[in-house]
């Protein structure tokens, strides 16, 4: 199409793979840094990929040499390597944004300065039972003990129901930097994908997410039974939070809708996000398309971020057997309007995201009805 700059992607998991799908449709070469044969590399044949890890300084340097703009599918990358190469290539979003966001406690301290509402929280310094008990007195029970770093899919969270749980909580999260959060009594979890371009902060509509064991299971787009005013308010809050960081691209913002209809930020991610997968079928531009356009300064018509049809997304998570995700996908083949995405990660492990299914329909009720048999299948496999 045009002689486009090359994009370097740190991480070749499912998010990188779906970014590559978007790049491919625009004739943009995506150079992926990850292990040989990672999901993203499997669908992209050229000699620009780099074998290694996004946590290795040398591998990041090598990727920087082969591309014009660098981005990441994950926030747990070596930001010191990114800082170093930022003088040679553009890094989007900025390494500063990724560094602050990858530590959930620092992320919250930063957002606090911008007046973003969040659950009250306390840093732990010594990680002793006495210290956590003192925090428990301040925050009350239950409270959520959280790892500041390397957290994903709830691996890094421990619900502390009472003082008696403290030893187990500290043992489960031992050797990790910790903070504790006041329990958020939410009636619903909401999420908004924000796209930061060179001169605008855009947002997709507000969606509803359902977590099971702290892992995203279902996404309803738009959020069900949420008044337009709250949809707008959640988008505004998400854009305000993302505006606190430097750099371009997609950011996933997770929020709690409380009983009194007020909103609280749960956390945000400096990348494309599971809660935005529905945009592939639900919107004219997917979150992956928009991310690539944003980092390359290509136009993004705001209209293209609107939901064209109500959508429901179901994650296919590794279950009881190594092939249970394939059985789920097989069922989905016969469901009307179901789009199947398998990530080609090989054998499943319990809790690992192996794929997702999106159903779109003229009404949310219809989409829910169509996907329900598949939700039942997935639930049975888990049980
Ligand atoms: P992700 O996979 O989204 O990165 P994570 O491991 O970083 O997840 P969080 O998003 O902080 O973890 O928490 C995961 C889930 O745990 C939330 O979606 C919510 O359901 C629950 N949760 C987190 N914090 C609280 C809280 N303060 N009160 C109640 N529930 C909470
Ligand atoms: Mg997280
Ligand atoms: Mg989360």
């Amino acid at each position: 199409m045009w002689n486009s700059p090359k994009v370097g992607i740190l991480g070749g998991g499912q998010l990188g793979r779906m970014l590559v799908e978007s790049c491919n449709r625009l004739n943009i070469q995506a150079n992926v840094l990850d292990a040989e044969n990672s999901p993203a590399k499997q669908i992209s044949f050229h000699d620009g990929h780099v074998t290694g890890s996004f946590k290795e300084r040398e591998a990041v340097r090598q990727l920087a040499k082969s591309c014009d703009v660098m981005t990441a599918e994950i926030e747990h990358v070596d930001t010191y390597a990114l800082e170093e190469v930022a003088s040679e290539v553009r890094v989007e979003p900025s390494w500063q944004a990724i560094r602050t966001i990858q530590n959930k406690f620092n992320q919250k301290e930063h957002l606090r300065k911008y007046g973003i509402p969040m659950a009250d929280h306390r840093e732990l310094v010594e990680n002793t039972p006495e210290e956590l008990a003192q925090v428990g007195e301040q925050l009350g029970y239950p409270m959520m003990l959280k790892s500041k770093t390397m957290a994903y899919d709830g691996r890094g969270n421990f619900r502390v129901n009472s003082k008696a749980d403290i030893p187990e909580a500290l043992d489960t999260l031992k050797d990790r930097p910790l903070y504790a959060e006041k329990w958020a009594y939410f009636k619903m979890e909401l999420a908004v994908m924000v796209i930061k371009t060179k001169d605008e902060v855009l947002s997709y509509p507000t969606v509803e997410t359902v977590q099971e064991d702290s892992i995203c299971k279902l996404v309803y787009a738009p959020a069900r039974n949420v008044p337009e005013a709250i949809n707008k308010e959640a988008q505004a809050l998400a854009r305000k939070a993302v505006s606190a960081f430097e750099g371009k691209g997609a950011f996933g913002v997770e929020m709690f809708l409380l009983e009194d209809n007020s909103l609280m930020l749960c956390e945000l991610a400096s990348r494309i996000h599971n809660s935005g997968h529905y945009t592939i079928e639900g919107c004219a531009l997917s979150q992956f398309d928009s991310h690539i356009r944003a980092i390359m300064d290509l136009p993004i018509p705001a209209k293209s971020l609107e939901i064209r049809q109500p959508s429901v997304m179901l994650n296919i998570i590794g279950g009881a057997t190594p092939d249970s995700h394939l059985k789920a996908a097989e069922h989905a083949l016969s469901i009307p309007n179901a789009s199947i995405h398998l990530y080609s990660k090989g054998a499943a492990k319990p809790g690992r995201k192996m794929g997702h299914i999106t159903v779109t329909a003229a009404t949310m009720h219809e989409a829910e009805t169509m996907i329900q048999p598949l939700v039942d299948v997935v639930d049975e496999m888990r049980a």
Side-chain angles (χ1 to χ4, degrees), residues 83-126:
E83 178 177 3
E84 188 188 303
V85 301
S87 52
E88 301 162 37
V89 293
R90 287 193 287 126
V91 176
E92 301 292 356
S94 70
W95 57 264
Q96 292 97 329
I98 300 174
R99 186 175 297 167
T100 305
I101 288 169
Q102 69 182 188
N103 180 312
K104 288 164 78 168
F105 181 75
N106 293 349
Q107 174 191 134
K108 287 184 175 158
E109 290 298 290
H110 181 74
L111 286 170
R112 200 213 299 262
K113 293 183 227 146
Y114 292 80
I116 304 296
M118 284 170 290
D120 196 7
H121 53 269
R122 297 280 186 284
E123 182 176 26
L124 271 82
V125 184
E126 292 159 6

Side-chain angles (χ1 to χ4, degrees), residues 143-159:
M143 64 179 167
M144 193 70 103
L145 185 63
K146 292 189 172 187
S147 173
K148 292 178 182 174
T149 58
M150 299 301 295
Y152 69 100
D153 291 344
R155 290 175 226 187
N157 284 1
F158 194 101
R159 179 182 164 140

Side-chain angles (χ1 to χ4, degrees), residues 232-350:
K232 287 263 154 59
E233 206 187 311
Q235 287 187 59
L237 174 60
R239 287 195 304 262
K240 185 175 170 187
V242 170
S243 301
F245 296 96
E246 285 297 318
K248 293 174 261 190
F251 292 74
V253 183
E254 302 171 16
M255 284 165 278
F256 300 130
L257 179 63
L258 305 179
E259 290 296 339
D260 65 357
N261 276 346
S262 64
L263 290 164
M264 223 181 222
L265 183 123
C266 169
E267 63 161 347
L268 62 77
S270 52
R271 53 170 170 79
I272 52 272
H273 194 262
N274 196 172
S275 66
H277 290 357
Y278 79 91
T279 57
I280 298 174
E281 288 81 17
C283 307
L285 283 181
S286 75
Q287 60 166 340
F288 305 98
D289 298 333
S290 295
H291 179 73
I292 294 299
R293 289 187 185 207
I295 67 172
M296 297 184 68
D297 295 336
L298 298 172
I300 301 176
K303 177 105 190 120
S304 302
L305 309 189
E306 289 174 9
I307 294 176
R308 294 196 287 200
Q309 274 210 315
S311 313
V312 183
M313 190 242 28
L314 172 69
N315 270 335
I316 304 296
I317 294 171
T321 61
D323 67 343
S324 53
H325 60 291
L326 298 177
K327 294 201 179 114
E330 220 168 277
H331 277 272
L333 288 170
S334 310
I335 292 184
N337 289 7
S339 299
I340 304 174
H341 298 258
L342 286 173
Y343 305 149
S344 199
K345 286 178 164 176
K349 290 189 201 118

Side-chain angles (χ1 to χ4, degrees), residues 40-247:
K41 290 184 183 178
Q42 291 172 30
I43 60 161
S44 174
F45 183 70
H46 57 70
D47 56 12
H49 298 308
V50 176
T51 305
S53 159
F54 40 76
K55 290 183 179 157
E56 281 166 34
R57 191 79 42 107
E58 194 43 47
V60 175
R61 281 192 198 120
Q62 203 186 326
L63 182 71
K65 287 198 183 75
S66 76
C67 62
D68 307 279
V69 52
M70 249 161 104
T71 191
E73 65 146 17
I74 180 168
E75 58 271 34
H76 308 302
V77 296
D78 180 352
T79 61
Y80 293 90
L82 289 182
E83 178 177 3
E84 188 188 303
V85 301
S87 52
E88 301 162 37
V89 293
R90 287 193 287 126
V91 176
E92 301 292 356
S94 70
W95 57 264
Q96 292 97 329
I98 300 174
R99 186 175 297 167
T100 305
I101 288 169
Q102 69 182 188
N103 180 312
K104 288 164 78 168
F105 181 75
N106 293 349
Q107 174 191 134
K108 287 184 175 158
E109 290 298 290
H110 181 74
L111 286 170
R112 200 213 299 262
K113 293 183 227 146
Y114 292 80
I116 304 296
M118 284 170 290
D120 196 7
H121 53 269
R122 297 280 186 284
E123 182 176 26
L124 271 82
V125 184
E126 292 159 6
N127 293 6
T128 58
E130 297 72 31
E131 187 186 28
L132 187 53
Q134 212 166 45
V135 169
E137 305 241 312
Q138 291 163 2
L139 299 178
Y141 295 96
M143 64 179 167
M144 193 70 103
L145 185 63
K146 292 189 172 187
S147 173
K148 292 178 182 174
T149 58
M150 299 301 295
Y152 69 100
D153 291 344
R155 290 175 226 187
N157 284 1
F158 194 101
R159 179 182 164 140
V160 186
N161 287 318
S162 70
K163 203 176 164 187
D165 290 346
I166 286 179
E168 192 191 347
L170 288 174
D171 188 52
T172 306
L173 297 177
K174 68 170 174 288
D175 303 327
R176 302 179 75 167
L178 301 175
Y179 73 106
E181 232 172 68
K182 196 177 170 77
W183 197 258
Y185 290 94
F186 55 82
K187 60 178 176 186
M188 198 187 260
E189 291 192 77
L190 301 176
V192 170
M193 286 309 306
V194 174
I195 307 294
K196 209 152 164 282
T197 71
K198 65 181 187 324
D199 39 34
E200 269 183 307
V201 184
L202 303 166
S203 51
Y204 283 91
T206 305
V207 304
E208 173 187 352
T209 66
V210 177
Q211 276 50 244
E212 212 171 76
D213 299 332
S214 280
I215 304 181
C216 176
K217 178 184 185 188
L218 283 157
V219 172
Y220 297 88
R224 295 170 301 174
N225 307 316
V226 166
E228 188 51 23
I230 293 177
N231 174 11
K232 287 263 154 59
E233 206 187 311
Q235 287 187 59
L237 174 60
R239 287 195 304 262
K240 185 175 170 187
V242 170
S243 301
F245 296 96
E246 285 297 318

